[in-house]
Amino acid sequence: MAGLNVVVLKTLPNGEIDMDDVKEKCEKYKHTLSCIMITYPSTYGVFEPTVRELCETIHDYGGQVYLDGANMNAMVGVCKPGKFGADVSHLNLHKTFCIPHGGGGPGVGPIGVKSHLAPFLPGHEVLPPIETTKPGARPFGQVSAAPYGSASILPISWAYLKLMGPNALRCATQVAILNANYMAKRLEDHYPIMFRNDNGFCAHEFILDTRVFPGTNIGVMDIAKRLQDYGFHGPTTSWPVVNTLMVEPTESEDKDELDRYCDALISIRHEIQEVQDGVQDPENNVIKRSPHTMDALTADTWDRPYSRKKAAYPLSWITSDKKIWPATARVDDAYGDQNVFCTCPPLEAYTISDLEDPQRAVLH
């Protein structure tokens, strides 16, 4: 990556970075060590208690520290990333600062550096950063057409910050962490929680282990698809641990919504237990054949060994006037990922006939 060789570091059973391994690797590669990239809190949903020690160790061996700011919604108002010892950090505006995230973007946000790296920042033909114009500066060129990023996106984050103010921003962080721990506590008797600190708490997200259902072949994607019948989009699947669910409630949802999500996951766990107990067929069951569309449920024939009500209305608060219907039944995810095809109309659809006005033609 960027002309460097990547060295993977170990983690402890609770998800924290293994500092003994860090020191061992630093000594082993002391003549070529360039930098380390860390995420804080980690993607495992853990605040690293050794983050300062980690930064000091890398600096002692002449390296630089890049801090991934993806999880800033667990730090705003309660932590100062600059005090950790990192040299570079990007600040995601999506999620933390009101920019939607998903579907490929938009990923946008500033990158902050310590003063010793400022002379190496990218320049700009029209509005170069002041540090890159000083004697001795060595900017490596322009990386963005607009000097300050997207003019259509950044005002949204600016307005959010102005409307919230420092106290409300801090409260949002605290509520995000509280929500995650509340949900983890509700779900811990039904799914193993993979990583928590020594006090039994997580940061703003947590990971449910969905690899632990003996006697079934039910996996993480089955649970994610069944959640659609309950009116929910599945959480992050198979990241950062394969065949697990990473739940990140943020501060945006109220307690009733958090409870409904937990109720749905708990109900699905009971359905899995029915498969384990032989009550439901190992393959032809309500989870493996989810999600259930309106077309399937209103068809004249129903050949499945469970009721239509169980498929569409598994909990009392899922009623016909509040039901969110899945748009499509189950698809083969792996096949779709490996066989990309164009959904555009055929070229013939753009052909201008003699009856159409050639003056209205648009070139593609």
Side-chain angles (χ1 to χ4, degrees), residues 118-134:
F120 305 96
L121 288 171
H124 194 274
E125 291 295 327
V126 181
L127 294 172
I130 295 176
E131 295 294 335
T132 64
T133 63
K134 293 181 178 180

Side-chain angles (χ1 to χ4, degrees), residues 221-236:
M221 291 307 298
D222 299 311
I223 297 172
K225 291 178 187 297
R226 178 57 173 157
L227 273 171
Q228 294 181 43
D229 290 326
Y230 289 79
F232 292 112
H233 192 288
T236 301

Side-chain angles (χ1 to χ4, degrees), residues 48 51 70 97 113 124 229 239 254 263 356:
E48 299 283 357
V51 63
F97 296 109
V113 302
H124 194 274
D229 290 326
W239 174 259
D254 59 26
D263 289 343
E356 292 177 328

